[in-house]
Amino acid sequence: MKIFRLKFLLLFFIVITYNMCSQNSESEINEADLTLPGNIYPESNIIISTHGDWTKNHYPKRIEEFKKNPLEKGDIVFLGNSITEQAGHWGAKVNSTKAKNRGISGDTTEGVLARLRELIYYKPEQVFILIGINDLFRDDITSEKVFNTILKIVHQINDGSPRTKIFVQSILPTTKATLKEKIQVTNSLLTNSEATEPYKLISLHNLFTTESGLMNMELSTDGVHLNENGYAVWVNKIINLIHY
């Protein structure tokens, strides 16, 4: 009987010790998960050569906002410039708490490329990219360059987070006739490469044009940015793609 009791006590001691070790290990893992690496956001003094003076100040401010409101694993990220940022609460627009706004007014393809580490770290479920119009406003940037940088963005996300579903949205029209051809060429390049690249193209452009191929002012505030009617058109196009 004494031997039996000793064996029972020994077994009890082993079980208790194992549980305590398991809890400690789990605690350590959880604490580690809460510790973010310091390099997932761009430095505050970063200089993006394609940014204008206003954006050079706004960009680091938005990055600080992102730090205070980080993504979560499995989020749905809307990535872009002012057209994305000015949508405000994307979660309310697409009825999903997972939808997060990562638009920065004035941003360019190079600016987006410099801030992808946050996405790669959190590995979102879906990313909706709309970027390039601010590049095309510059005389020294071609459609081909914008297209190639968008591909770099796609490849970096896909390499770092291969399970993330990447949607590239065609660049919207403006009321500036001199930009019409550059926008069309960029969108054609994106359309033609969809079959061989790791993204799905969402054709937004034609939903916003008049017969002249320029921005429909019933959907815009200033010929570039969208009003609520414009955002409703955008959301209606993508709503069935959102994972809930």
Side-chain angles (χ1 to χ4, degrees):
M1 181 66 70
K2 290 183 178 180
I3 294 175
F4 175 79
R5 288 179 179 177
L6 286 173
K7 288 183 178 180
F8 177 80
L9 290 173
L10 179 61
L11 179 61
F12 179 77
F13 176 77
I14 291 173
V15 170
I16 293 297
T17 303
Y18 175 80
N19 287 337
M20 291 178 63
C21 289
S22 297
Q23 290 175 1
N24 289 337
S25 297
E26 184 177 348
S27 176
E28 290 174 3
I29 291 172
N30 290 339
E31 290 176 4
D33 288 343
L34 295 174
T35 304
L36 301 180
N39 64 346
I40 68 170
Y41 298 99
E43 297 292 334
S44 60
N45 61 350
I46 187 173
I47 300 296
I48 306 296
S49 62
T50 52
H51 282 174
D53 291 339
W54 184 86
T55 308
K56 289 177 181 177
N57 290 320
H58 182 65
Y59 186 92
K61 291 179 182 177
R62 278 291 280 168
I63 297 299
E64 288 302 312
E65 292 177 13
F66 298 161
K67 289 180 181 179
K68 294 175 183 177
N69 299 280
L71 301 175
E72 297 179 9
K73 293 187 186 298
D75 272 345
I76 300 167
V77 177
F78 288 82
L79 181 64
N81 50 38
S82 56
I83 302 173
T84 297
E85 181 180 350
Q86 290 179 13
H89 188 10
W90 272 103
K93 279 184 163 49
V94 300
N95 193 30
S96 172
T97 58
K98 297 193 298 180
K100 304 296 173 59
N101 191 327
R102 284 302 184 263
I104 298 183
S105 295
D107 207 4
T108 58
T109 53
E110 293 290 344
V112 168
L113 194 63
R115 56 186 175 95
L116 293 180
R117 289 190 299 270
E118 180 191 29
L119 272 73
I120 291 169
Y121 178 80
Y122 284 105
K123 303 189 184 317
E125 183 176 356
Q126 297 176 302
V127 175
F128 290 82
I129 303 169
L130 179 60
I131 195 67
I133 190 60
N134 291 321
D135 301 74
L136 295 177
F137 268 109
R138 294 174 58 107
D139 294 334
D140 60 334
I141 296 182
T142 65
S143 298
E144 290 74 16
K145 180 174 176 55
V146 173
F147 165 70
N148 286 326
T149 311
I150 291 174
L151 283 188
K152 288 180 182 178
I153 293 168
V154 168
H155 290 162
Q156 283 201 18
I157 296 173
N158 186 62
D159 290 345
S161 183
R163 293 188 178 181
T164 298
K165 180 67 175 178
I166 303 171
F167 297 94
V168 174
Q169 299 161 112
S170 58
I171 298 173
L172 300 184
T174 71
T175 50
K176 190 172 181 179
T178 54
L179 279 181
K180 180 179 174 180
E181 182 177 356
K182 290 178 77 174
I183 293 171
Q184 289 176 338
V185 170
T186 308
N187 287 338
S188 293
L189 290 168
L190 290 170
T191 300
N192 293 337
S193 71
E194 179 188 12
T196 57
E197 296 293 345
Y199 67 83
K200 178 178 176 58
L201 183 74
I202 300 175
S203 298
L204 292 182
H205 179 272
N206 291 344
L207 300 177
F208 291 85
T209 58
T210 61
E211 291 182 359
S212 65
L214 301 179
M215 173 65 84
N216 180 352
M217 285 305 296
E218 293 182 1
L219 304 175
S220 177
T221 58
D222 57 5
V224 175
H225 301 93
L226 303 180
N227 57 26
E228 285 306 311
N229 291 332
Y231 282 114
V233 170
W234 185 357
V235 169
N236 185 62
K237 179 67 175 179
I238 65 172
I239 193 67
N240 291 332
L241 299 172
I242 302 294
H243 287 182
Y244 293 95

